[in-house]
mmCIF file of all heavy atoms in Angstrom:
data_model
loop_
_atom_site.group_PDB
_atom_site.id
_atom_site.type_symbol
_atom_site.label_atom_id
_atom_site.label_comp_id
_atom_site.label_asym_id
_atom_site.label_seq_id
_atom_site.Cartn_x
_atom_site.Cartn_y
_atom_site.Cartn_z
ATOM 1 N N SER A 215 52.640 148.636 126.922
ATOM 2 C CA SER A 215 51.258 148.879 127.305
ATOM 3 C C SER A 215 51.020 150.379 127.508
ATOM 4 O O SER A 215 51.740 151.039 128.255
ATOM 5 C CB SER A 215 50.971 148.142 128.611
ATOM 6 O OG SER A 215 49.916 148.759 129.298
ATOM 7 N N ILE A 217 48.345 151.518 128.943
ATOM 8 C CA ILE A 217 47.761 151.644 130.286
ATOM 9 C C ILE A 217 48.869 151.837 131.315
ATOM 10 O O ILE A 217 48.831 152.741 132.155
ATOM 11 C CB ILE A 217 46.925 150.387 130.640
ATOM 12 C CG1 ILE A 217 45.726 150.248 129.687
ATOM 13 C CG2 ILE A 217 46.456 150.448 132.090
ATOM 14 C CD1 ILE A 217 44.883 148.999 129.915
ATOM 15 N N ARG A 218 49.885 151.011 131.223
ATOM 16 C CA ARG A 218 50.949 151.091 132.225
ATOM 17 C C ARG A 218 51.821 152.327 131.990
ATOM 18 O O ARG A 218 52.332 152.928 132.929
ATOM 19 C CB ARG A 218 51.740 149.784 132.240
ATOM 20 C CG ARG A 218 50.815 148.631 132.699
ATOM 21 C CD ARG A 218 51.447 147.299 132.846
ATOM 22 N NE ARG A 218 51.439 146.440 131.677
ATOM 23 C CZ ARG A 218 50.370 145.826 131.154
ATOM 24 N NH1 ARG A 218 49.175 146.024 131.668
ATOM 25 N NH2 ARG A 218 50.480 145.025 130.112
ATOM 26 N N ALA A 233 44.000 155.943 135.428
ATOM 27 C CA ALA A 233 44.341 155.198 134.207
ATOM 28 C C ALA A 233 44.384 153.704 134.502
ATOM 29 O O ALA A 233 43.418 152.985 134.250
ATOM 30 C CB ALA A 233 45.661 155.698 133.650
ATOM 31 N N GLN A 234 45.495 153.250 135.050
ATOM 32 C CA GLN A 234 45.650 151.801 135.273
ATOM 33 C C GLN A 234 44.715 151.334 136.389
ATOM 34 O O GLN A 234 44.659 151.949 137.453
ATOM 35 C CB GLN A 234 47.096 151.501 135.643
ATOM 36 C CG GLN A 234 47.444 150.034 135.605
ATOM 37 C CD GLN A 234 48.911 149.792 135.949
ATOM 38 O OE1 GLN A 234 49.591 150.688 136.433
ATOM 39 N NE2 GLN A 234 49.385 148.592 135.697
ATOM 40 N N GLY A 235 44.016 150.234 136.129
ATOM 41 C CA GLY A 235 43.002 149.768 137.065
ATOM 42 C C GLY A 235 43.571 149.019 138.252
ATOM 43 O O GLY A 235 43.648 147.795 138.240
ATOM 44 N N PHE A 236 43.959 149.767 139.289
ATOM 45 C CA PHE A 236 44.345 149.120 140.542
ATOM 46 C C PHE A 236 43.883 149.993 141.699
ATOM 47 O O PHE A 236 43.889 151.215 141.597
ATOM 48 C CB PHE A 236 45.861 148.881 140.612
ATOM 49 C CG PHE A 236 46.681 150.144 140.590
ATOM 50 C CD1 PHE A 236 46.990 150.811 141.768
ATOM 51 C CD2 PHE A 236 47.115 150.682 139.391
ATOM 52 C CE1 PHE A 236 47.729 151.983 141.746
ATOM 53 C CE2 PHE A 236 47.858 151.855 139.358
ATOM 54 C CZ PHE A 236 48.162 152.516 140.535
ATOM 55 N N THR A 298 46.956 137.599 133.738
ATOM 56 C CA THR A 298 47.784 137.968 132.589
ATOM 57 C C THR A 298 48.617 136.788 132.126
ATOM 58 O O THR A 298 48.648 136.443 130.943
ATOM 59 C CB THR A 298 48.694 139.157 132.974
ATOM 60 O OG1 THR A 298 47.843 140.257 133.301
ATOM 61 C CG2 THR A 298 49.622 139.548 131.846
ATOM 62 N N TYR A 322 40.552 144.613 125.934
ATOM 63 C CA TYR A 322 41.660 144.839 126.870
ATOM 64 C C TYR A 322 42.961 144.649 126.103
ATOM 65 O O TYR A 322 43.149 143.643 125.405
ATOM 66 C CB TYR A 322 41.535 143.865 128.039
ATOM 67 C CG TYR A 322 42.699 143.927 128.992
ATOM 68 C CD1 TYR A 322 43.156 145.157 129.476
ATOM 69 C CD2 TYR A 322 43.356 142.781 129.402
ATOM 70 C CE1 TYR A 322 44.239 145.231 130.327
ATOM 71 C CE2 TYR A 322 44.427 142.839 130.268
ATOM 72 C CZ TYR A 322 44.865 144.066 130.717
ATOM 73 O OH TYR A 322 45.942 144.148 131.563
ATOM 74 N N GLU A 323 43.850 145.610 126.208
ATOM 75 C CA GLU A 323 44.985 145.685 125.278
ATOM 76 C C GLU A 323 45.903 144.463 125.294
ATOM 77 O O GLU A 323 46.509 144.143 124.277
ATOM 78 C CB GLU A 323 45.812 146.961 125.527
ATOM 79 C CG GLU A 323 46.373 147.049 126.906
ATOM 80 C CD GLU A 323 47.382 148.204 127.084
ATOM 81 O OE1 GLU A 323 47.547 149.029 126.187
ATOM 82 O OE2 GLU A 323 47.994 148.248 128.147
ATOM 83 N N ASN A 324 46.004 143.731 126.391
ATOM 84 C CA ASN A 324 46.900 142.561 126.424
ATOM 85 C C ASN A 324 46.592 141.525 125.348
ATOM 86 O O ASN A 324 47.474 140.800 124.905
ATOM 87 C CB ASN A 324 46.796 141.833 127.781
ATOM 88 C CG ASN A 324 47.597 142.526 128.862
ATOM 89 O OD1 ASN A 324 47.703 143.751 128.860
ATOM 90 N ND2 ASN A 324 48.145 141.771 129.783
ATOM 91 N N ASN A 371 36.208 144.728 130.422
ATOM 92 C CA ASN A 371 37.149 145.844 130.429
ATOM 93 C C ASN A 371 37.425 146.152 128.956
ATOM 94 O O ASN A 371 37.854 145.229 128.238
ATOM 95 C CB ASN A 371 38.442 145.409 131.145
ATOM 96 C CG ASN A 371 39.540 146.459 131.093
ATOM 97 O OD1 ASN A 371 39.304 147.592 130.720
ATOM 98 N ND2 ASN A 371 40.740 146.058 131.485
ATOM 99 N N ILE A 401 37.868 138.204 135.482
ATOM 100 C CA ILE A 401 38.449 138.757 136.708
ATOM 101 C C ILE A 401 37.554 139.782 137.402
ATOM 102 O O ILE A 401 37.750 140.062 138.575
ATOM 103 C CB ILE A 401 39.856 139.362 136.482
ATOM 104 C CG1 ILE A 401 39.805 140.516 135.509
ATOM 105 C CG2 ILE A 401 40.860 138.308 136.050
ATOM 106 C CD1 ILE A 401 41.101 141.300 135.495
ATOM 107 N N TYR A 402 36.564 140.327 136.686
ATOM 108 C CA TYR A 402 35.650 141.286 137.343
ATOM 109 C C TYR A 402 34.355 140.606 137.769
ATOM 110 O O TYR A 402 33.340 141.264 137.964
ATOM 111 C CB TYR A 402 35.368 142.464 136.400
ATOM 112 C CG TYR A 402 36.633 143.174 135.979
ATOM 113 C CD1 TYR A 402 37.230 142.916 134.750
ATOM 114 C CD2 TYR A 402 37.273 144.070 136.837
ATOM 115 C CE1 TYR A 402 38.423 143.541 134.382
ATOM 116 C CE2 TYR A 402 38.461 144.693 136.477
ATOM 117 C CZ TYR A 402 39.023 144.422 135.250
ATOM 118 O OH TYR A 402 40.196 145.038 134.891
ATOM 119 N N LYS A 433 41.380 141.626 141.441
ATOM 120 C CA LYS A 433 40.304 142.611 141.526
ATOM 121 C C LYS A 433 39.328 142.245 142.631
ATOM 122 O O LYS A 433 38.800 143.114 143.314
ATOM 123 C CB LYS A 433 39.566 142.693 140.191
ATOM 124 C CG LYS A 433 40.453 142.715 138.963
ATOM 125 C CD LYS A 433 41.212 144.020 138.780
ATOM 126 C CE LYS A 433 42.133 143.934 137.564
ATOM 127 N NZ LYS A 433 42.849 145.144 137.235
ATOM 128 N N THR A 438 46.143 143.620 143.363
ATOM 129 C CA THR A 438 46.604 143.445 141.974
ATOM 130 C C THR A 438 48.103 143.162 141.881
ATOM 131 O O THR A 438 48.564 142.600 140.892
ATOM 132 C CB THR A 438 46.282 144.686 141.120
ATOM 133 O OG1 THR A 438 46.959 145.817 141.695
ATOM 134 C CG2 THR A 438 44.799 144.971 141.071
ATOM 135 N N ARG A 441 49.823 139.050 142.128
ATOM 136 C CA ARG A 441 50.018 138.190 140.959
ATOM 137 C C ARG A 441 49.636 136.728 141.236
ATOM 138 O O ARG A 441 50.449 135.815 141.089
ATOM 139 C CB ARG A 441 51.473 138.269 140.413
ATOM 140 C CG ARG A 441 52.095 139.641 140.283
ATOM 141 C CD ARG A 441 51.210 140.655 139.611
ATOM 142 N NE ARG A 441 50.849 140.329 138.252
ATOM 143 C CZ ARG A 441 49.591 140.451 137.787
ATOM 144 N NH1 ARG A 441 48.592 140.869 138.560
ATOM 145 N NH2 ARG A 441 49.330 140.161 136.546
ATOM 146 N N TYR A 517 35.408 148.011 136.762
ATOM 147 C CA TYR A 517 35.542 149.335 137.379
ATOM 148 C C TYR A 517 36.140 150.403 136.480
ATOM 149 O O TYR A 517 36.996 151.165 136.882
ATOM 150 C CB TYR A 517 36.203 149.257 138.754
ATOM 151 C CG TYR A 517 37.474 148.489 138.992
ATOM 152 C CD1 TYR A 517 38.565 148.552 138.141
ATOM 153 C CD2 TYR A 517 37.591 147.744 140.187
ATOM 154 C CE1 TYR A 517 39.734 147.879 138.442
ATOM 155 C CE2 TYR A 517 38.764 147.062 140.492
ATOM 156 C CZ TYR A 517 39.827 147.133 139.606
ATOM 157 O OH TYR A 517 40.991 146.479 139.920
ATOM 158 N N TYR A 518 35.569 150.481 135.284
ATOM 159 C CA TYR A 518 35.993 151.493 134.313
ATOM 160 C C TYR A 518 34.782 152.195 133.722
ATOM 161 O O TYR A 518 33.710 151.597 133.607
ATOM 162 C CB TYR A 518 36.768 150.833 133.167
ATOM 163 C CG TYR A 518 37.892 149.966 133.666
ATOM 164 C CD1 TYR A 518 37.721 148.582 133.769
ATOM 165 C CD2 TYR A 518 39.100 150.524 134.071
ATOM 166 C CE1 TYR A 518 38.735 147.778 134.259
ATOM 167 C CE2 TYR A 518 40.116 149.724 134.562
ATOM 168 C CZ TYR A 518 39.930 148.348 134.655
ATOM 169 O OH TYR A 518 40.934 147.568 135.150
ATOM 170 N N VAL A 547 43.085 156.641 130.236
ATOM 171 C CA VAL A 547 43.694 155.843 129.167
ATOM 172 C C VAL A 547 43.077 156.240 127.826
ATOM 173 O O VAL A 547 41.849 156.236 127.691
ATOM 174 C CB VAL A 547 43.475 154.325 129.392
ATOM 175 C CG1 VAL A 547 44.107 153.525 128.262
ATOM 176 C CG2 VAL A 547 44.035 153.898 130.732
ATOM 177 N N PHE A 552 42.250 150.572 122.889
ATOM 178 C CA PHE A 552 41.341 149.430 122.979
ATOM 179 C C PHE A 552 40.774 149.020 121.614
ATOM 180 O O PHE A 552 39.859 148.208 121.527
ATOM 181 C CB PHE A 552 40.185 149.758 123.933
ATOM 182 C CG PHE A 552 40.652 150.192 125.305
ATOM 183 C CD1 PHE A 552 40.631 151.535 125.678
ATOM 184 C CD2 PHE A 552 41.145 149.266 126.211
ATOM 185 C CE1 PHE A 552 41.074 151.927 126.931
ATOM 186 C CE2 PHE A 552 41.588 149.652 127.463
ATOM 187 C CZ PHE A 552 41.555 150.987 127.821
ATOM 188 N N ARG A 564 39.250 156.247 128.787
ATOM 189 C CA ARG A 564 38.770 155.340 129.834
ATOM 190 C C ARG A 564 39.298 155.813 131.174
ATOM 191 O O ARG A 564 40.494 156.091 131.319
ATOM 192 C CB ARG A 564 39.261 153.914 129.569
ATOM 193 C CG ARG A 564 38.603 152.883 130.492
ATOM 194 C CD ARG A 564 39.402 151.580 130.583
ATOM 195 N NE ARG A 564 40.580 151.727 131.418
ATOM 196 C CZ ARG A 564 41.380 150.727 131.787
ATOM 197 N NH1 ARG A 564 41.120 149.500 131.388
ATOM 198 N NH2 ARG A 564 42.438 150.935 132.553
ATOM 199 N N CYS A 566 39.308 154.805 135.405
ATOM 200 C CA CYS A 566 38.939 153.763 136.366
ATOM 201 C C CYS A 566 38.459 154.422 137.655
ATOM 202 O O CYS A 566 38.840 155.543 137.964
ATOM 203 C CB CYS A 566 40.108 152.814 136.620
ATOM 204 S SG CYS A 566 41.451 153.540 137.536
HETATM 205 N N1 LIG B 861 43.490 145.485 134.114
HETATM 206 C C1 LIG B 861 43.972 146.774 134.508
HETATM 207 C C2 LIG B 861 43.602 147.825 133.493
HETATM 208 O O1 LIG B 861 42.999 147.542 132.498
HETATM 209 C C3 LIG B 861 45.432 146.767 134.758
HETATM 210 C C4 LIG B 861 46.182 146.071 133.727
HETATM 211 C C5 LIG B 861 47.598 145.868 134.071
HETATM 212 O O2 LIG B 861 48.322 146.831 134.066
HETATM 213 N N2 LIG B 861 47.995 144.665 134.317
HETATM 214 O O3 LIG B 861 43.902 148.968 133.718
#
Side-chain angles (χ1 to χ4, degrees):
S215 155
I217 296 177
R218 295 183 270 289
Q234 192 179 13
F236 63 88
T298 298
Y322 175 49
E323 60 171 8
N324 281 34
N371 175 12
I401 62 168
Y402 302 99
K433 316 288 177 176
T438 61
R441 315 313 299 135
Y517 49 45
Y518 308 99
V547 180
F552 305 103
R564 190 200 76 173
C566 70

